[in-house]
């Protein structure tokens, strides 16, 4: 009886105290959630593979953990719920660090600076510079993004929300929306591939991307931050560190 109790206490404590990293390592793969509609961070290439900056970042984290990488593609607004219900271990999806999101998930150190811009059709003479200029117009966004949140603050803007940015752009190209609001680097990537579109505004916000994990997974968060620090180090920084720190 005593033995049984001791064994159960041991098992319960293993479940409670073993960190996220132990779990990932014993499973053998890291589950990374993203929405693959966001070039150059995550998108589907001509061979049907999900590639991009965030995917390379994910590969580097998995490699340094010594596990395989499994990418889980989903809608952007499904990412945080999937993280909280443990369907994925981390979110690496060009996700802006915001106070609202910080209430439910923990973010890594920032890894990219970004901001919203307005994209319109080149053949129209509509060239909005501010969100105010969008009042009375129809704006396509991806559901739950910072762009969605910003334009939704204006009563007079008709916001049409899509699961994927690719569909928001189709709406604009077909003339059913007057503009798309999204992050500048991704806007540039879409416009480069779609000569009928143009970025009409300057950068309207100042945002930073972070990798999101569950709040209790502090070991994983620390590990991810150490990987980001390593990746940000130039060979010059490494030399300085070698010769000038004790
Ligand atoms: N940075 C914006 C946000 O966090 C948009 C991110 C969209 N990412 C994506 N993979 N579709 O809300």
């Amino acid at each position: 009886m005593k033995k049984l109790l001791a064994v159960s206490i041991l098992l319960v404590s293993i479940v409670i105290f073993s960190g996220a990293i132990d779990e990932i390592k014993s499973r053998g793969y890291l589950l990374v959630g993203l929405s693959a509609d966001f070039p150059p961070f995550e998108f589907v290439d001509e061979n049907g593979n999900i590639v991009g900056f965030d995917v390379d970042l994910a590969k580097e984290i998995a490699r340094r953990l010594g596990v395989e990488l499994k990418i889980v593609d989903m809608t952007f607004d499904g990412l945080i719920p999937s993280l909280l219900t443990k369907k994925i271990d981390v979110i690496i999806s060009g996700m802006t660090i915001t106070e609202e999101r910080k209430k439910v998930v923990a973010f890594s150190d920032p890894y990219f600076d970004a901001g919203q811009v307005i994209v319109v059709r080149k053949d129209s003479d509509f060239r909005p510079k501010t969100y105010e200029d969008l009042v009375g117009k129809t704006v396509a966004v991806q559901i739950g993004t910072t762009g969605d949140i910003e334009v939704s603050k204006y009563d007079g803007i008709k916001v049409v929300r899509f699961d994927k940015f690719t569909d928001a752009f189709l709406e604009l190209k077909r003339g059913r929306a007057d503009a798309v609001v999204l992050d500048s680097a991704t806007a540039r990537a879409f416009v480069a591939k779609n000569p009928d579109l143009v970025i009409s505004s300057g950068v309207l916000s100042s945002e930073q991307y972070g990798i999101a994990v569950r709040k209790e997974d502090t070991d994983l968060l620390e590990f991810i931050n150490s990987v980001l620090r390593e990746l940000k180090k130039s060979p010059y920084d490494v030399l300085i560190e070698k010769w000038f720190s004790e």
Side-chain angles (χ1 to χ4, degrees):
M1 208 37 206
K2 263 193 186 155
K3 203 170 165 192
L4 191 67
L5 189 67
V7 169
S8 15
I9 288 174
L10 182 72
L11 282 179
V12 168
S13 49
I14 287 175
V15 170
I16 294 176
F17 297 113
S18 76
I21 293 186
D22 290 338
E23 196 183 316
I24 292 163
K25 282 191 174 162
S26 64
R27 186 205 301 143
Y29 54 89
L30 175 71
L31 286 162
V32 173
L34 50 74
S35 173
D37 58 348
F38 203 64
F41 297 93
E42 46 268 329
F43 60 103
V44 183
D45 73 5
E46 50 286 356
N47 304 316
N49 297 318
I50 296 175
V51 298
F53 183 91
D54 285 341
V55 177
D56 283 353
L57 214 48
K59 279 185 188 159
E60 198 55 38
I61 295 166
R63 189 181 70 78
R64 287 171 193 245
L65 279 169
V67 297
E68 297 287 310
L69 172 66
K70 282 206 179 144
I71 298 280
V72 188
D73 182 21
M74 63 181 86
T75 60
F76 186 77
D77 74 332
L79 287 167
I80 291 182
S82 299
L83 181 67
L84 298 179
T85 55
K86 296 196 154 207
K87 292 192 182 79
I88 52 177
D89 301 310
V90 295
I91 300 170
I92 313 183
S93 196
M95 185 174 274
T96 301
I97 303 170
T98 68
E99 291 308 316
E100 274 309 296
R101 291 172 182 160
K102 266 162 67 178
K103 288 181 188 157
V104 283
V105 299
F107 280 103
S108 71
D109 296 335
Y111 69 89
F112 197 85
D113 294 333
Q116 301 301 300
V117 295
I118 305 171
V119 176
V120 295
R121 278 184 312 279
K122 205 182 252 171
D123 67 3
S124 74
D125 39 75
F126 180 48
R127 291 292 181 272
K129 300 286 169 222
T130 63
Y131 294 137
E132 285 292 335
D133 295 344
L134 298 173
V135 171
K137 302 287 180 179
T138 301
V139 178
V141 295
Q142 181 176 38
I143 304 176
T145 56
T146 45
D148 178 10
I149 293 162
E150 279 314 306
V151 294
S152 299
K153 288 180 185 163
Y154 293 78
D155 277 339
I157 301 179
K158 180 165 188 257
V159 184
V160 280
R161 302 178 178 85
F162 294 89
D163 279 339
K164 293 279 176 181
F165 266 125
T166 28
D167 294 322
F169 275 109
L170 274 183
E171 196 78 350
L172 174 62
K173 284 162 89 76
R174 288 181 184 148
R176 288 204 291 252
D178 304 299
V180 171
V181 170
L182 81 164
D183 305 50
S184 54
T186 302
R188 281 197 296 276
F190 270 107
V191 166
K193 283 240 161 75
N194 295 274
D196 53 332
L197 302 178
V198 63
I199 297 176
S200 92
S201 73
V203 180
L204 301 175
S205 60
S206 141
E207 304 177 25
Q208 289 185 308
Y209 297 163
I211 296 174
V213 303
R214 283 181 293 275
K215 284 192 174 183
E216 66 266 28
D217 293 349
T218 47
D219 59 334
L220 183 58
L221 188 63
E222 259 167 51
F223 184 83
I224 288 170
N225 279 333
S226 74
V227 174
L228 288 175
R229 272 196 301 274
E230 281 296 314
L231 292 177
K232 285 176 185 173
K233 258 187 220 162
S234 70
Y236 190 82
D237 295 333
V238 174
L239 271 191
I240 295 278
E241 196 168 87
K242 176 176 172 190
W243 292 103
F244 296 95
S245 66
E246 306 129 288

